[in-house]
Structures are given as structure tokens and as C-alpha cells.
Amino acid sequence: MSADLVIVANRLPVDRVELDDGSAGWRGSPGGLVTAVEPVLRANDGTWVGWPGGTESDLDPFDHEGLHLVPMSMNAQEIQEFYEGFSNATIWPIYHDLVAKPEFHREWWDAYVSVNQRFAEKAAEIAAKGATVWVHDYQLQLVPQVLRELRPDLRIGFYLHIPFPPAELFQQLPWRRQILEGLLGADLVGFQMPGAAANFVRLVRQRVGHKTHRDLIYLPDGRTVRAAAFPISIDAAGFEELAQSEPVGKRATAIRDALGNPTKIFLGIDRLDYTKGIYARLRAFSELINDGHLDVEEAVFVQVAVPSRERVEQYKILRDDIDRLVGRINGDVGRIGRPAISYLHTSYPREEMAALYRAADIMVVTPYRDGMNLVAKEYVACRFHNDGALVLSEFAGAAAELRQAWLVNPYDINGMKSALLEACQADEKEVTRRMKAMRKTISQHDVQAWAESFMTELAGDRFMHGKKVRPVKRS
Ligand code: GDG
């Protein structure tokens, strides 16, 4: 096997399923990343390296619907230490403003190093001479450096889907220098926001001691690394088409019926994650009912919480907290057949998501910190009648583009209450004006444009900077 384009991501774009005949098979899990990368992968006859989930070992490379997939196995200890531990209980909270307290364990770091090493070795094995390798996300930050050492002929890109923290927070990481050096193995390091790229460049200058100029980093070996923002997006046309389809339209009507045809449906859809601000938003909504501004006969909040990282302690605590809060709110302010909050701890097919987006009058997206937040963009894409209001956290990357949303500070419950009420009471003209502008933005910056801009930049001329730079001092 020899590929001109290799995608390296923690997860493969497929899930293990039991087929009708009882044997084990694969089913595509088409998330945003797959939609974005798939055309590029097909055009280049590329290969995707990733973990299929579970602990099965010795899985051979296979093709699924024309995509070449190379499964990486992980044992139970690695899942615990590399995935649940270092990736999701150390890096994730640090990169999200310390919304939860990160844990530091040396054995988790060791597992992170060895899994990254293995992913890099696999990519090195299958990449053709001079191939392009695109590495994704926070679980694999050491892959670029290892890969560069094994295969200096490769063009290496890295993209971080989550925020990159300011120096003040990143500095807490005992392995801060190794992570920066890991990322510097890439030719191009992509972030969601310009601020994240700036944080990275500043840290490289301060912590590793490399010379930098704007978005360029000059390495002692002569290489130049670029760090820049490439805000990710969605398949806007695909979502709109799905939302316009007859079955989705009928389902949206059925959802409204099932909820008792309230005047206003508020909607939240998130992975059940403490960064998403679910707790505070439900409190804000319930207080509006308590204060007499909303009435459960007329308004309902549908909250879909998709199960996520269920073995990580902080996520177990969060689930219990939300369960209790929803029970308390419904117990306090609900009436027979009229719960204030319709809470669903499950995941849905894309069609159901589109029907929910169509059914909702007010979409509420209030993360404390979010790289981008695709749910907000998907809602906008599905509102083809230019109606529907979006309440959006200032701390989601999406807020930089969706300026016409009702922007809120998710830490300010009173501010959120006002925004929810304003969005709910806004006249049709105002709602349409805002939605039209946001839809224009989304249609102009879709996920294909994102992938193309990253790939074009990665394929561009590379040069040896020829500058005199000091050799790096080891600290
Ligand atoms: C990370 C960053 C960044 C959700 N529930 C279901 C479902 N989804 C889909 C949504 C959306 C995606 O999952 C969630 O993306 P988000 O961007 O909202 O959030 P994260 O999962 O935290 O994603 C984030 C993103 O990476 C991309 O770079 O924007 O900041 O944290 O597409 O539709 N899809 C289906 N059923 C569900 O129940 N089918």
C-alpha cells in the first residue's frame, strides 16, 4: 500500500456493527470531518489511518464505500490512559479554559507518547514518496514530529479542532515543550481562530526559543512552519437539501405535534460535555418560567444530550448534575403533559437532527469555550425560510462569523435570560434580517472551502528560510 494522501485521525470514519447475518461489519459514521475530507481523499485515492473504537486487534486494512481505511488497534489500558486519560482528562480541559480541572499523570503521558509514535509509524509506512499527510486534532499532537523524523520527504499538515489556550494556561502542562515540538514537525499548523494561532506562535517563541515573524516560525534546521487560522464549517448545501426534503418536513411537524404545538420551541443539541454550558442554559430557561416571563403551556425546551466519554469521571458527574436539574425543573414548574424541558440522552440520525433544527424557533448554543461549534452552523443552514433565532455564546468560534446571532456570555445567567427572551419576542422582520445575513455567511464558507483552503496552503511552495537563528537552548 502506498498513498499520495494520508489522513491520520484518532477515529476512523466507521463504527463496528453487527450485520443482518450476525457477522461483524462496518457502518460509516459521516461526521463533519468525513464530509469535508472525503472528496479530497477520493480525488487523491488517499488512505485514512485511525482507531475503529473497541479493543479488537489485528484488524487488516479494508475498503468501505470506496474509502481506504487502516485500523489502528488500542488495548484497554491505552484506551484508559491515552484516550480517556491524557486526551480527554488532561488536554481537553486545559485547552478549554480549565472549565474542569485537568489531571496530570505521568503514565498517561507515556501512553500518549507511545500511541502517537505508533500512529506516526503507520503513516510513515503507507505514505508514498513525497506524499501529503494531514494529521487531525488534540489526541495526535506528537505525530508530526515523529513522522518528520521518519520521513523528511513528506508534506505534513496538522489541524486542531479545539481551541489552543493562552500561554498562561498551556504553561501548566508538564509536557508543554514536547507538545510544541511535536506540532512543529508539521509544515502547516491550522487552528480554528487567529487568536489560537497567535497563542501557539507566542508559546513557541517563549518556550522553545525559535525565531518567529507574524505567522511564521523559523526552525534551526532551516524549515519554516506556518501557523494560521482555517475556521471549519459544514456541508451547508447538503444540510439545506436534507431540511427541505419532504420526510424531514413531515417529521418536523410531527415533533411540534408531539410537544403539544407550543408557540415557541427552544432547542439545544450537544455532546454531553461540561464545556457546552448545558446546565446554565437550562437554569436560565427555568428562571424565565419561574419569573413569569414564559409559560410552560406556550414554551418548551428540547435538550438533546448525546452520550459522550461516559467512563471519564467528570462526564459521569455532569450527567448526574443534569439529570437532577432537569428532574427538579420539571418537578417545580411542569404541568401534566407539559414538562418545561424535554430531555433526551441519546444520539439521532442526521435526518432527525435536521427535523429538530426545522422544528425549533430558538436554537440555544451556549458553550463556555468551543473551537467552532458546528451545531450553530447546521441550524442556520436548515432555516431555508430565513426564520428562527440563534442564541450563541461569545466563546464559541462560530461567534466570529455568526455576528447576527443573539450573542451571550454563558457565565452571565441574567444576560442569558435577557437574550433568550429577546430572541423569543423579536419580531419577524428582525429575525429574518439576522438569519438572512448568517445564511449568506454559511453558504460562502462551507466545509469544502475549508478543506480546499487548508490543502492549497499545505501544497504551496515551501522554502528554507536561510536566516541565522540560534540553536535551541534545552530547558
Ligand atoms: C469538535 C469541537 C468543532 C451531534 N449529535 C448528533 C450528531 N451530532 C453532530 C452535529 C455536529 C457534530 O456532531 C458536533 O460538532 P460540534 O462542533 O457542535 O462539537 P464537538 O463534537 O465538540 O466538535 C468543535 C468540531 O470539533 C469540528 O472541528 O466545531 O468546536 O469541539 O456536526 O450535527 N450527529 C448525528 N446524531 C447526533 O445525535 N447524526
Side-chain angles (χ1 to χ4, degrees):
M1 189 190 284
S2 164
D4 289 323
L5 173 67
V6 181
I7 301 294
V8 189
N10 178 54
R11 280 300 303 263
L12 275 182
V14 289
D15 291 322
R16 211 50 165 146
V17 286
E18 193 178 316
L19 300 176
D20 291 343
D21 62 3
S23 65
W26 299 101
R27 187 186 50 212
S29 54
L33 182 57
V34 191
T35 319
V37 174
E38 198 184 292
V40 194
L41 204 61
R42 285 188 198 282
N44 293 279
D45 205 22
T47 296
W48 188 309
V49 176
W51 174 48
T55 49
E56 267 180 285
S57 55
D58 301 327
L59 287 165
D60 289 325
F62 61 97
D63 284 2
H64 180 82
E65 292 172 0
L67 297 180
H68 308 310
L69 306 178
V70 176
M72 300 294 293
S73 60
M74 243 184 261
N75 64 35
Q77 190 178 350
E78 284 169 338
I79 294 174
Q80 204 193 339
E81 296 182 347
F82 156 77
Y83 177 68
E84 294 163 356
F86 198 80
S87 300
N88 289 322
T90 307
I91 294 284
W92 181 269
I94 287 214
Y95 283 31
H96 286 91
D97 275 6
L98 301 186
V99 174
K101 198 168 161 40
E103 286 186 53
F104 303 114
H105 297 292
R106 282 164 287 184
E107 59 280 13
W108 288 4
W109 167 252
D110 293 343
Y112 188 79
V113 172
S114 72
V115 172
N116 271 256
Q117 175 84 26
R118 214 168 57 234
F119 272 64
E121 282 166 5
K122 182 54 79 179
E125 185 188 315
I126 60 181
K129 184 148 186 47
T132 296
V133 181
W134 189 0
V135 184
H136 287 266
D137 227 359
Y138 64 104
Q139 304 91 348
L140 300 176
Q141 296 172 98
L142 308 180
V143 167
Q145 182 187 29
V146 181
L147 196 53
R148 169 80 48 205
E149 277 159 18
L150 294 169
R151 292 287 307 274
D153 60 300
L154 298 177
R155 189 60 68 93
I156 304 171
F158 180 91
Y159 187 78
L160 185 70
H161 291 256
I162 67 175
F164 192 82
E168 291 70 18
L169 304 185
F170 187 83
Q171 254 143 231
Q172 290 190 6
L173 260 177
W175 308 278
R176 56 200 182 188
R177 187 189 174 105
Q178 289 94 317
I179 288 178
L180 296 171
E181 287 181 340
L183 292 168
L184 288 171
D187 297 287
L188 175 64
V189 186
F191 298 89
Q192 300 275 21
M193 309 303 296
N199 287 345
F200 175 69
V201 173
R202 176 170 162 226
L203 270 157
V204 166
R205 193 170 57 241
Q206 289 178 343
R207 287 278 145 213
V208 196
H210 291 323
K211 195 179 171 73
T212 67
H213 176 64
R214 294 175 192 242
D215 59 357
L216 298 179
I217 298 156
Y218 303 118
L219 301 192
D221 67 2
R223 285 194 306 121
T224 306
V225 177
R226 180 160 184 244
F230 298 85
I232 200 167
S233 194
I234 56 161
D235 176 13
F239 261 101
E240 172 160 352
E241 199 184 313
L242 187 62
Q244 282 186 350
S245 72
E246 207 187 305
V248 167
K250 282 197 172 139
R251 180 63 194 144
T253 308
I255 289 172
R256 291 198 77 106
D257 285 347
L259 292 166
N261 280 310
T263 324
K264 296 288 180 187
I265 297 178
F266 293 73
L267 174 67
I269 302 184
D270 315 76
R271 270 185 317 95
L272 187 46
D273 194 296
Y274 50 78
T275 59
K276 301 288 184 183
I278 301 170
Y279 193 96
R281 102 174 50 129
L282 295 181
R283 260 192 65 189
F285 179 76
S286 74
E287 285 188 19
L288 286 173
I289 296 173
N290 264 327
D291 299 347
H293 293 299
L294 293 176
D295 184 336
V296 284
E297 299 292 336
E298 278 159 23
V300 65
F301 202 116
V302 177
Q303 176 65 54
V304 177
V306 182
S308 180
R309 307 174 190 168
E310 290 181 290
R311 292 184 346 178
V312 178
E313 193 53 32
Q314 297 276 10
Y315 290 75
K316 290 184 194 161
I317 296 171
L318 175 72
R319 179 162 184 204
D320 288 346
D321 287 349
I322 303 274
D323 282 355
R324 258 199 306 276
L325 179 69
V326 170
R328 198 168 67 222
I329 294 173
N330 284 340
D332 285 350
V333 301
R335 290 186 211 136
I336 287 182
R338 298 284 186 190
I341 296 167
S342 187
Y343 178 60
L344 305 144
H345 180 249
T346 184
S347 68
Y348 287 117
R350 240 167 73 95
E351 292 70 20
E352 183 73 1
M353 302 273 291
L356 283 163
Y357 291 142
R358 256 195 84 164
D361 303 291
I362 301 124
M363 184 81 212
V364 190
V365 182
T366 56
Y368 294 118
R369 182 59 72 192
D370 215 332
M372 177 55 63
N373 197 292
L374 298 181
V375 165
K377 291 189 169 180
E378 288 165 5
Y379 178 68
V380 170
C382 288
R383 305 305 299 190
F384 55 91
H385 289 309
N386 292 316
D387 57 0
L390 175 65
V391 175
L392 177 62
S393 163
E394 293 164 16
F395 305 131
E401 292 167 87
L402 303 178
R403 302 304 301 166
Q404 298 78 12
W406 273 268
L407 294 175
V408 294
N409 170 0
Y411 293 95
D412 171 9
I413 301 249
N414 281 347
M416 258 197 306
K417 285 168 71 179
S418 308
L420 288 175
L421 208 55
E422 271 177 39
C424 178
Q425 293 172 344
D427 65 38
E428 204 183 309
K429 230 173 108 194
E430 176 68 4
V431 169
T432 303
R433 181 187 68 77
R434 291 180 183 235
M435 185 51 80
K436 249 190 182 158
M438 292 193 288
R439 287 176 56 75
K440 192 168 166 209
T441 306
I442 300 285
S443 68
Q444 284 168 349
H445 299 281
D446 68 358
V447 76
Q448 265 78 29
W450 168 79
E452 268 170 42
S453 68
F454 187 90
M455 290 304 280
T456 307
E457 175 61 32
L458 182 57
D461 288 343
R462 283 288 164 274
F463 56 93
M464 301 304 267
H465 56 71
K467 293 182 188 304
K468 271 214 166 82
V469 294
R470 274 179 286 125
V472 176
K473 53 176 192 311
R474 293 275 146 192
S475 63

